[in-house]
Amino acid sequence: HVYVAELYISSHSITTLYTGEPIRCEKYDATGLLRGHTLEITFTGEKIEAGSTMNSYIYKIYDADGNDASYMYLVMPSYGTIKVEQISITIEADSTVLTLDELTALGGVYYAEKWEITSGAVLEGHTVEVVLDGYIDDLGRCDSIIVSVIIRDAGGVDVTKCYSITYVDGEMRVKP
């Protein structure tokens, strides 16, 4: 087959933070289109969760009369990347200081149960489940350790991998 022209099509790249919504980049560059011809691009690449994918597309080329002229071109495609980056958050475990009297009032044992996001934030509608390990039942100190974190979107889907989580263990103390 003899081609009349070479057409170079290159989709652009995009990098953005995770939003919970499909990310697309519908920009491209094209060179080599013959006068009077039009290029129709339909983008097929998209990314929702953290990671990257090719910014793929399909194309059709039409002549001035609206007829398919794709057969006339040797098309040299190149593809950009759609990259979705994780949202950074820091979760800090329970750091509590109690007196011996306060510990006694709690039944003689205090279990790590409090935590907070100390930097960053999860998207609206997302929930965070944190499991902590640690207790203190006498004078001294004990670590409060983050065992696991699960972040779910509004539909209950686990989207933890869309977050870059820094874990900060806490310290519980009982003083006289």
Side-chain angles (χ1 to χ4, degrees), residues 4 16-17 72 74 76 94-95 102 123 139 147 157 168-169:
V4 176
T16 187
L17 281 177
M72 298 174 64
L74 174 61
M76 310 296 265
D94 202 343
S95 286
E102 290 170 324
L123 295 178
L139 292 172
V147 175
V157 176
V168 178
D169 291 335

Side-chain angles (χ1 to χ4, degrees), residues 35-47:
R35 177 167 283 138
H37 287 193
T38 56
L39 174 63
E40 179 183 286
I41 299 276
T42 303
F43 288 89
T44 56
E46 73 176 25
K47 189 74 177 150

Side-chain angles (χ1 to χ4, degrees), residues 42-102:
T42 303
F43 288 89
T44 56
E46 73 176 25
K47 189 74 177 150
I48 297 175
E49 295 184 340
S52 62
T53 191
M54 180 173 60
N55 190 13
S56 56
Y57 54 85
I58 54 175
Y59 63 88
K60 283 275 195 173
I61 304 163
Y62 297 98
D63 65 18
D65 296 323
N67 298 312
D68 186 353
S70 301
Y71 68 93
M72 298 174 64
Y73 290 85
L74 174 61
V75 177
M76 310 296 265
S78 66
Y79 303 95
T81 302
I82 299 170
K83 183 177 181 185
V84 176
E85 295 181 334
Q86 297 173 310
I87 295 173
S88 294
I89 63 172
T90 300
I91 298 178
E92 190 168 327
D94 202 343
S95 286
T96 299
V97 177
L98 301 169
T99 65
L100 195 52
D101 289 341
E102 290 170 324

